[in-house]
Amino acid sequence: MILAVIESFVLNFVLLLVCVINIRNGAVGGVHYYEQPVKDRVVELGLITEKQIKRNHTVSGLFFMLVLLIAAPLMVFCVNGADTFFEGFIQLTIMYLLCGSFDRVFIDWYWVGHTKAWLIPGTEDLMPYIHKKTWLTKIIGTVIGYPLFAALISWIFTLIQK
């Protein structure tokens, strides 16, 4: 279990790295994480195109999903030696929930909500970028979705191991 907690820091770091890479040339590069009105505004302002937003969303989403689908289970089943559904489920759930909590609290609430790193000039009137309802929906999705995701991945990996 301790390894799962430590390995969740790897997931957190990867998530942070994905975000940093997205906004390396300004917050507009990460606009695919924002609400639709913000996306619409930055396109209107000519700061980015819809095509670029879709590409950024796809590339960063695919990369992080590969980490969640492949790297995390490999850490659990190959490095940690989980060999049952339950062991894999518990460890993946810990990793995914800690990563989801990092995303909701550090990235969404603090970094996006309380710093200027994600500020896009010309969209200040659309702040906060992550509305309370969206943030709560994300929390509920994290608490319910990640354990379900962990169960599915654990089931698949235990089938592969047989």
Side-chain angles (χ1 to χ4, degrees):
M1 300 304 157
I2 299 295
L3 279 177
V5 172
I6 293 168
E7 291 160 347
S8 74
F9 288 103
V10 172
L11 295 182
N12 293 347
F13 179 75
V14 170
L15 177 60
L16 183 65
L17 190 60
V18 167
C19 291
V20 167
I21 289 169
N22 275 296
I23 66 166
R24 70 188 176 280
N25 295 320
V28 172
V31 77
H32 56 280
Y33 296 122
Y34 292 60
E35 303 278 338
Q36 192 59 47
V38 181
K39 294 176 195 175
D40 295 341
R41 176 76 57 84
V42 296
V43 170
E44 278 176 29
L45 293 171
L47 301 174
I48 196 167
T49 65
E50 298 243 357
K51 184 177 177 182
Q52 289 170 309
I53 292 172
K54 287 179 185 173
R55 181 184 53 82
N56 291 352
H57 177 74
T58 301
V59 169
S60 53
L62 273 175
F63 179 76
F64 195 66
M65 284 308 293
L66 286 174
V67 170
L68 292 179
L69 285 169
I70 296 170
L74 286 175
M75 287 189 278
V76 167
F77 288 96
C78 297
V79 175
N80 301 359
D83 57 2
T84 67
F85 168 82
F86 187 72
E87 288 174 346
F89 169 72
I90 292 297
Q91 290 183 45
L92 282 173
T93 298
I94 289 168
M95 290 170 67
Y96 291 157
L97 286 176
L98 289 174
C99 184
S101 298
F102 175 78
D103 190 9
R104 301 292 81 81
V105 175
F106 177 75
I107 294 178
D108 290 349
W109 179 79
Y110 175 72
W111 197 20
V112 175
H114 292 86
T115 72
K116 294 182 180 184
W118 291 82
L119 179 68
I120 301 173
T123 64
E124 295 88 350
D125 61 311
L126 300 172
M127 293 176 74
Y129 292 130
I130 301 172
H131 300 253
K132 190 177 231 177
K133 182 180 176 184
T134 302
W135 191 69
L136 290 172
T137 301
K138 286 180 169 188
I139 289 174
I140 292 167
T142 297
V143 170
I144 295 170
Y146 277 164
L148 292 174
F149 188 58
L152 176 64
I153 299 299
S154 295
W155 178 69
I156 291 169
F157 266 75
T158 53
L159 286 177
I160 292 170
Q161 284 184 326
K162 291 183 180 184

